[in-house]
Amino acid sequence: MALTVPRFGTGLPAQLYSLAIESGKTVTTVDIPSKGNPLLFTTANDRVIVGHYDLQQFTNDLKKTAVAFSEPGHGRTVTISPDGTTLVREIAPGNEFIDTETLLNIGERLPIFVPVSAGANFLITDNVHWISDYPKDRSFVTLLDAEGRQHLLYHGDCAGRPSVLNNDRILFTGCGNVTVLDTSGKRIFEKQMSCKTGEFAGVSRSGSRFAIACERTRGFDPSYVSSETFDIYDALTGAVMATIKSEAVPEQRSWTAFSSDGKQFVCGTPSSLSLYEIQ
């Protein structure tokens, strides 16, 4: 298991940690000379990619590979497909797909679009508003395909930030429900959540399981988390397989991750992580 830890205000680079699953102890630590808090991505071939503008690939025991990417202009890596094969970079102008094995561009440059999630060959956003066609609706989910064409998948009042589960399914929460669509916009299932404002908290690389975070907050400006649970869903049926309560409640939402097969789930903060087995 790998995680990045920023060291804000110290003048020191962020650190990349490798942790032993069995004990939680640190196996390896690597300094990451990157501006701000570098993003961490795990790939389909069990590599680790770290960065934001510049990217460096590591093995799963944090040894540098020869694969790296240096940003020559204006652009940043924003997300990865759940299967670990494809990164998405925002460039000026537009977007591009990056192969995680080679860190080379795949296909043609896509038009300007604000991706909030991605599959291996498409982008998803809630930032395109089809109000000329549907003036009474407040929320929209739009897919941008590899040819740069936009497809409206959902319009109505109940879509929060959409997230890709796999190359065939997309999830969003809203109005107290979790809804899963296919990439044509067909509704696969809709389930009532255990909280009204639950939000997506990760999916396994296999796409078989996903998590929804439910939290209670106290205070105002800033507010802080007083309790936090995660419902683990079966992505095929929408059944809740487990509910996990955070042992160490953070000020803001916990970091979360699944194992690639979805049978393990980790949540917490860099200083206090908890690992759970899911039957």
Side-chain angles (χ1 to χ4, degrees):
M1 180 171 59
L3 73 155
T4 56
V5 178
R7 293 189 284 185
F8 296 121
T10 65
L12 298 173
Q15 291 185 309
L16 176 63
Y17 283 77
S18 173
L19 305 180
I21 291 293
E22 296 81 6
S23 65
K25 293 182 178 180
T26 300
V27 177
T28 310
T29 304
V30 178
D31 285 348
I32 305 296
S34 177
K35 296 179 180 179
N37 183 16
L39 300 180
L40 170 67
F41 306 100
T42 56
T43 74
N45 60 348
D46 291 323
R47 294 288 193 262
V48 175
I49 296 173
V50 181
H52 201 179
Y53 298 92
D54 295 345
L55 301 172
Q56 175 65 57
Q57 187 189 86
F58 295 83
T59 62
N60 57 11
D61 57 357
L62 303 192
K63 294 179 180 178
K64 274 189 180 182
T65 73
V67 180
F69 175 88
S70 181
E71 170 55 45
H74 300 286
R76 62 191 181 114
T77 305
V78 293
T79 191
I80 190 172
S81 61
D83 64 7
T85 63
T86 311
L87 291 163
V88 176
R89 287 181 57 79
E90 290 183 330
I91 51 181
N95 298 270
E96 64 181 359
F97 294 118
I98 300 291
D99 182 271
T100 57
E101 287 194 33
T102 63
L103 296 184
L104 297 176
N105 173 267
I106 306 170
E108 299 297 323
R109 175 180 292 194
L110 298 174
I112 296 173
F113 197 75
V114 182
V116 300
S117 191
N121 60 357
F122 64 89
L123 307 179
I124 294 292
T125 195
D126 58 355
N127 197 51
V128 175
H129 302 281
W130 301 65
I131 54 176
S132 60
D133 297 313
Y134 305 99
K136 295 182 179 181
D137 291 333
R138 297 184 299 173
S139 55
F140 304 88
V141 176
T142 304
L143 181 148
L144 182 73
D145 65 27
E147 285 73 44
R149 298 170 297 195
Q150 294 184 9
H151 307 269
L152 178 62
L153 303 186
Y154 170 88
H155 59 93
D157 295 326
C158 294
R161 188 180 179 91
S163 300
V164 173
L165 296 179
N166 57 37
N167 290 327
D168 300 307
R169 296 193 176 193
I170 295 145
L171 167 152
F172 61 83
T173 61
C175 298
N177 297 319
V178 56
T179 302
V180 173
L181 310 174
D182 67 16
T183 51
S184 71
K186 178 183 177 182
R187 187 164 301 188
I188 303 300
F189 63 78
E190 183 174 273
K191 300 286 184 177
Q192 185 175 8
M193 298 184 294
S194 60
C195 54
K196 291 185 178 180
T197 57
E199 295 185 12
F200 178 71
V203 61
S204 64
R205 189 188 304 165
S206 63
S208 60
R209 295 172 179 178
F210 64 88
I212 296 294
C214 292
E215 60 188 38
R216 292 183 178 180
T217 60
R218 292 181 180 177
F220 178 75
D221 195 26
S223 61
Y224 64 93
V225 176
S226 59
S227 66
E228 178 185 56
T229 59
F230 298 95
D231 289 331
I232 310 300
Y233 285 78
D234 183 305
L236 293 177
T237 65
V240 175
M241 307 180 67
T243 297
I244 295 167
K245 185 175 181 179
S246 294
E247 296 181 13
V249 179
E251 290 185 8
Q252 302 298 323
R253 181 179 302 161
S254 290
W255 295 7
T256 58
F258 279 96
S259 60
S260 59
D261 60 7
K263 294 182 179 180
Q264 294 176 314
F265 181 76
V266 65
C267 63
T269 67
S271 60
S272 180
L273 290 170
S274 298
L275 179 69
Y276 299 87
E277 297 281 350
I278 304 170
Q279 301 299 319

